[in-house]
Amino acid sequence: MAEYKLLLEHSDDTAYRTLDGYRKKGGYKALEKAVKMERQAIIDEVKASGLRGRGGAGFPTWIKWNGLPKEKVGKKHYVVCNADEGEPGTFKDKQLMEETPFLLVEGMTIAGFATQGDAGFIYIRGEFIDAAKALRAAIDEAYAAGLLGKNILGSGRDFDLYIHMGAGSYECGEESALMSSLMGERGMPRLKFPHAPLPTISGLWDSPTLINNVETYTCVPFIVNKGGEWYQTLGAATKNSRGTKIFSVSGHVNKPGNYEIEFGTTLNELLEMSGGMKGGKLKACVPGGSSVPIIDAEMCGRAVLGYEEMSDVKSMVGSGGCMFLNEHTCIVSFIWRTAMFYAQESCGKCTPCREGTKWMLQIMERIVAGNGQPGDKELLLEVCSQIDGRSFCGLGDAAAWPVAAAIRVFPEEFDYFIANGKSMVKSSKDLMLVP
Amino acid sequence: MATVAATDTVNIVINDVDLQVPKGELVVEAVKRLGHEIPIFCYHPRMKPVGMCRMCLVEVGFKQPDGSVRKMPKPQAGCTLPVSEGMVIYTDTEMVHRDRKGVLEFLLINHPLDCPVCDRGGECPLQNNTIFYGPSTSRYIDIKRHAPKAFPLSEYVTLDLERCIQCGRCVRFTEEISGDAQLAFRFRGAAMQPSTFKLTDFDSKFSGNVIEICPVGALTSSKYRFRARPWDLETSEGLCLECGNGCNVWLDHRAAKLVRVNGRTNEAINEEWTCDKGKFGHDYYNSSKRLTQPLRREGDRFVPVSWGEAYAEIAAHLGAKSAALVGSTVSNEGLFCLQKLFKDGFGSENIDHRWTRTLPAAGERVAKRHESSIASLEHKKTVLVFGADLANSQPIVHLRVRKGWFLNETRVVVAHSQTTDADSFANLLLSCKPGSLDDLAMGLERAVAEAQKTDVQGFASFKDTEKTTSVKESALREVAAMLLEGNASIVCTASIYNENKPVETLAALAKIAAATGAEFNVYAEGGNDEGAMALGVMTGRNTHEILQDCAMGDLNALWLVGADPLTLHPSRRLAEDALEAVPFLVYQGLLECEAMGYASIVLPMEAPGEHDGTYTNIEGRVQRMQQAVKNPGDGKPAWRVFSELLVRIKPGRPSFSAKEIMDEIAATHPAFAEATYDKLEKEGTPLKPVIENFYM
């Protein structure tokens, strides 16, 4: 299958970033439609579309939307957009916010209508200054045109939208940590269901809160406009993945960048779109952002991009940060760099992640420094198993998966490095990703 | 009703044992019902669970309709998981043991394992859990995290960062319990560390508690560091007499010397906390200034004398024209014997223990002193703190009031002319001009009267009240409305007697309480002040009159019992004149002090923990403290001195033990009827409310 441009259709058109240009291409038709719809009808439309969270977990979006109280009980409802795109290898939200900001604004406004949201917050990664500027301009325009604020489109309903810049923490992309950070607390994850109520019941300031990824919200105008029935025809070849997904292709490819595809496209097709491999044959691929398990070339050959389909190759769609690595890449060094990232980004709250990520890094460090000890590979696997599923939030799991998967898929590279003190890949010295 | 109970409990299974537990109880608490234990570090029953350390991971499943159990894929933190219907909990499976081992291995990789030189060694949760659940060896061969070994967070708390396991107990304590938010985590990941803001002083009135709740030896007491190993310590149940709250403490002593004070759980009073005064303010026990033997003035120096010589001297000089002034740490028994000595031995009634600026004339009555127990304050709907700086004068009451505010939505109103720690969380602050508390009370009385539509004639107008106090009419009306909603408590302390027109203020507050149905409290301040009031240690001339009489030469002798008028009395000049003029001064005390310089006879006194005795706290709870440590010299408990002296003057049967005296008190004072040593309860026995009115 070829590229399917839905969200990114007008991304090259600079006029699309202004309200006029956006409206000319059919923008805000969805909101005009939505204000006339029953709240539940919007949610039902999202349900029919089969839209799943694009942040990485793939949780059915409508369940979140449906989870907020139908009648307000004295508390405000909040709509939060997770734009703290920090997963290494992923840069789709950045482009969406910079080039199609109105899609996000419109999508969040519709979400606000569907869930009786009083205010929306876009939590943007601190480094995304251009994205924040683009959104600021879009929000200002929307306010001026009566598309945000009081009595939107004469519906009698209000919705305010705020931008909040993060301060540089990967952990704040975790939804509960994001909410802590948004409330001015230290960016640490909070208790989650069943240990605490769901955010849809008690989230931001203990109020019902809807939180979705940027890409998820940008899908909403299309779903409302063209109907959930239409949307769910996209990706119908897959088991349970509907619509389009933007993959951020990077690594040793000729044309790195964001590629929007229909679910069901194969990984090979994605590689072709991005111009094929550069500098050597395909060796491995991290298909969904640095935290998902790495797969080798053989697996790449049969990988189909879909939430369930990817588990056939023991990996995940994740956030869509697809990194292709050529034959000159030293997997051990690659994993060392990944481990360094997670050791730096662990918030420190829980023991397994705080101590385990650092220990893994120390082991990886001594291996790449040529001081690997016999048994280090097994020790790494042990440490991974002591983190995986034991940590407070997903960061621990995300730190353990790539290491465990790399050892599973490329055990010989680890054995060679530990035994010989140098990489199995001859030219890896040049390509080693030095921090 | 059975049906109600069924909805309030859930059926769960713990390690194959069926159990009914209250709905919403945490797994870590539920397993205790079976006598099982889930190891913990970060969890503390008095603080909100966070699930940080992951030590409490257990396997959890749910019963399916077909009777099978579906386990959750990941292990769950028992400290944060509330039980629900059909939950099946496993605390003893292979996976659980493996997870515990894993967490302990992680915690130990960066822990210095300097147990042999660690204060906590021997009473350390990390040691204990490692021995029970941990790996026997470490697979860690890299370089451990290093940090300064002894970083002084404050004068009292020293932080050893290397030992810290980042459980966050200390941070949460300052956020949730003490409320001063002095500690927070800084940095992240493996570098995360508890710290004060910008490493400024750990400025808290409750900092000592974090030392006790620290599950490792990271937060240590600067005063106790390296003073003893836990297994060398003997411990005794003690009481703190730094203020009148009557906190229960452990007195840890080594070789008969007090080295450490820790909080002892008493749910009725201090739960398990102490304030820093109580925890660190025990230097005097081992002070080099302790008086160790009776002294007699000879010219310009003191010479040691025997107790017998001292008694003879005192007996020769004290008579009807003598008086005694008492401090706040004398036991009920001591006070009773003093009364007896003066009345029966010297024929004088001039005894007083009050040191405030205004001493209401005998006959002025304040009906209510402690209607609210300390524990009940956390369940009040409204607490009006009137003219009291609780965090300073009654720290544990302050914690209770804050607990109510933090957990039970108690509305706290603070009315004071000074800033207090409670201002930070008060729902409403009545900040009045200095010296205008009386006007404020009367303004409040008017607001209550208006709300109840009763006669307001004779009251100052709200406008005038605002002029004198700067408190607005709307605020007064709001407080009145809050009080009228019921379940309220008005809290004052004896410090109100240092303000303008205390009698009128208290009368107005009493009327407000009566009109709104609020409970009214005027808590005593000193250690056993409440006991002194209950025993009526304020007969004859009062403190001011006694000092004036001394200064005028109307009294021949003055006995200071653990009290130094130069520091206690509001007028130092009067105190100086009195001590200068009085012909014969007996100073009985713990330490050398300025007043001692005027004394003719000096008697060493035993500190409270050095003898048996009972003390009455602010809520009228009589508690007993047994002897914990030995007196360093030849000191005697106050009661014994009075009793022995009385026998010399008026031969009879002396009292041999504190128990005997308490029986006598119980027989003569109806309020103490239930407070004999045989009947005293573990948490202390409240005074019987038989006497309604006391002279303040």
Side-chain angles (χ1 to χ4, degrees), chain B residues 485-496:
Chain B
E485 277 177 42
N487 192 16
S489 182
I490 302 174
V491 177
C492 301
T493 67
S495 68
I496 205 95

Side-chain angles (χ1 to χ4, degrees), chain A residues 186 195 348 355 362 366 385, chain B residues 76 80 98 110 140 142 187:
Chain A
R186 188 182 155 92
H195 301 260
E355 307 292 346
Q362 285 177 319
R366 69 167 184 252
S385 74
Chain B
Q76 299 293 317
T80 53
R98 194 180 151 273
N110 280 312
Y140 188 76
D142 299 281
F187 306 135

